[in-house]
Amino acid sequence: MNRLKFLALSVFAIFTLSSCGSMSGGYSLSGAAIQPDWQTIYVATFPNYAPQQNPTLSQDLTIAVQDIFRSRTKLKLNSNENSDLIIEGEISGYDVAPQAIQSNDIAAENRLTVYVKIRYINNKDETKSYERTFSAFQPYDGNAMLSTVEPNIVPKIIEDIRDQVFASIAMDW
């Protein structure tokens, strides 16, 4: 019975503290490293320099990164480089590699990996700025053509890279 009371009190405390944070106008945990005086963010279009191309990857990735900062922080999306925070970079790889090779030298599974080089410029705190490459992958059946699985796996890869970029900036990871 004591465990049940402790659990109930813990849940109550978590909900109380989280609602206080949002009512006070402060940042939620999702934007913990973003300071209140940081007001604007500019996310440049990510050009696609990968040897193998996906025609919508540049636009889809750019929009995904813009949307996560717009929806999870109080930063205002800006259309110029005079912003407090700047995210720019390029898609540098879009690679397919065989994974599970069978005895007949045929891949039972392939893996699509996307690499994105990010330059983060923090005009408010230059010590936070960095240049880093992020990557994400999705496996798919070795018998499937990439063109048939791309509509299902590319959005998952974009989501993963978007989340990595967000965590590295907003959570200071």
Side-chain angles (χ1 to χ4, degrees):
M1 193 64 158
N2 284 337
R3 281 186 170 172
L4 187 59
K5 286 181 183 178
F6 177 75
L7 181 61
L9 271 168
S10 297
V11 170
F12 177 75
I14 289 169
F15 283 119
T16 302
L17 290 174
S18 66
S19 66
C20 288
S22 62
M23 289 169 47
S24 67
Y27 287 96
S28 67
L29 184 59
S30 66
I34 296 176
Q35 301 302 311
D37 64 323
W38 301 354
Q39 297 178 4
T40 57
I41 187 168
Y42 171 65
V43 180
T45 300
F46 299 106
N48 193 342
Y49 297 136
Q52 187 171 343
Q53 296 276 318
N54 175 309
T56 63
L57 184 60
S58 174
Q59 179 180 350
D60 294 345
L61 179 62
T62 302
I63 291 170
V65 173
Q66 290 172 340
D67 285 350
I68 197 167
F69 279 93
R70 185 178 333 162
S71 66
R72 294 192 186 172
T73 70
K74 292 187 178 184
L75 294 169
K76 291 182 178 75
L77 204 57
N78 208 350
S79 61
N80 64 55
E81 295 184 11
N82 293 327
S83 299
D84 297 332
L85 311 178
I86 299 170
I87 301 171
E88 57 187 19
E90 61 269 345
I91 299 161
S92 58
Y94 191 85
D95 304 328
V96 175
Q99 292 305 300
I101 305 297
Q102 300 172 352
S103 61
N104 56 1
D105 290 335
I106 296 176
E109 184 176 272
N110 288 324
R111 175 186 286 184
L112 173 63
T113 305
V114 175
Y115 300 91
V116 181
K117 185 176 184 179
I118 297 289
R119 284 176 300 284
Y120 167 56
I121 302 162
N122 186 320
N123 288 318
K124 293 288 191 170
D125 183 354
E126 290 184 18
T127 65
K128 303 285 186 189
S129 298
Y130 64 75
E131 188 168 311
R132 188 179 305 164
T133 298
F134 295 89
S135 66
F137 68 88
Q138 281 290 309
Y140 65 94
D141 187 292
N143 295 319
M145 297 292 295
L146 177 60
S147 60
T148 61
V149 298
E150 275 179 310
N152 295 323
I153 64 175
V154 170
K156 293 174 185 174
I157 292 171
I158 289 171
E159 182 178 309
D160 191 2
I161 292 173
R162 174 205 68 189
D163 291 349
Q164 290 176 48
V165 171
F166 182 78
S168 74
I169 295 170
M171 308 300 260
D172 209 10
W173 289 353

